[in-house]
Amino acid sequence: MTRTGTSSPGPVPPTPSQTVGPFYGHALPFPGGEDVAPLGHPDTITVHGYVLDGEGRPLPDALLEVWGPDPDGNLPAVDGSMRRAPASGGFLGRNGVEFTGFGRVRTDADGHWYVRTLRPGARGQNAPCLSVCVFARGLLVHLFTRIYLPGDEAVLAADPLLARLDEQRRGTLIAAREDGGAYRFDIRLQGEGETVFLEFR
């Protein structure tokens, strides 16, 4: 498509009706959403990875929401993840002190995402994990999954969800530990190595 009747002919950028959406990362910004742990907390961990399509290509403009309990396994009951200024309605960001357990982060142009949070504690029979909701262009229904952290094989083996999966599928839910204390977790939406997604009934 080219412009007509203007002094600077050239291609016209795609309009929303010409591009598969919705555009979650663009339309639902959350400044500071990756910083879930209180500022300077000594037990902060970084979890990061890529959101990949069925051919292994990274997806820019995907959006992840991440929830997790505190290190004692308690679900935070603290408001404040998305504070707004009372007068303007603009984002104030986090207060940097309280742990809400919630983060919202978009992938960058390379399909990469990260959150800095506290290592979750075990809840009941469940091994420590983070819950994740994935939104991406072309997905009409968002997807749910979990990120389990390595470190205690006996606890992971006893987890009710992981125990139902064969070894290969179970591996798609367990992050890989990296040097420096970070964890790598790629989310594959389909194809070989597809991440296990959950259905709630």
Side-chain angles (χ1 to χ4, degrees):
M1 179 185 296
T2 58
R3 291 187 177 94
T4 57
T6 66
S7 59
S8 57
V12 176
T15 64
S17 65
Q18 296 171 300
T19 309
V20 177
F23 305 102
Y24 291 106
H26 170 73
L28 295 173
F30 181 12
E34 66 276 1
D35 291 314
V36 182
L39 296 175
H41 196 289
D43 298 326
T44 299
I45 63 170
T46 297
V47 182
H48 76 104
Y50 292 84
V51 177
L52 306 168
D53 68 13
E55 297 181 3
R57 295 175 301 200
L59 287 178
D61 196 44
L63 184 83
L64 277 65
E65 291 187 343
V66 180
W67 300 270
D70 66 20
D72 295 323
N74 300 314
L75 293 176
V78 177
D79 293 331
S81 285
M82 300 181 73
R83 297 183 311 144
R84 292 181 179 271
S88 69
F91 284 102
L92 288 176
R94 300 181 188 276
N95 64 20
V97 177
E98 297 172 299
F99 177 69
T100 63
F102 172 80
R104 175 185 286 163
V105 61
R106 61 181 290 182
T107 57
D108 64 17
D110 297 320
H112 184 258
W113 63 274
Y114 73 94
V115 292
R116 288 186 289 265
T117 188
L118 300 181
R119 185 180 179 97
R123 290 182 49 77
Q125 296 180 323
N126 297 313
C129 66
L130 299 170
S131 297
V132 181
C133 185
V134 182
F135 303 83
R137 62 178 69 177
L139 283 180
L140 299 180
V141 179
H142 46 276
L143 302 172
F144 295 97
T145 189
R146 288 181 179 176
I147 303 173
Y148 289 89
L149 302 180
D152 191 330
E153 296 308 314
V155 172
L156 290 172
D159 181 88
L161 172 61
L162 293 178
R164 295 174 56 189
L165 302 171
D166 62 48
E167 185 175 352
Q168 184 176 8
R169 299 293 288 145
R170 186 166 51 243
T172 71
L173 295 179
I174 302 175
R177 188 177 179 88
E178 297 182 324
D179 293 338
Y183 296 89
R184 170 79 179 263
F185 187 82
D186 293 338
I187 298 172
R188 297 180 184 273
L189 298 182
Q190 57 181 324
E192 185 176 355
E194 177 183 319
T195 300
V196 170
F197 296 106
L198 310 176
E199 181 179 21
F200 293 95
R201 298 180 181 180

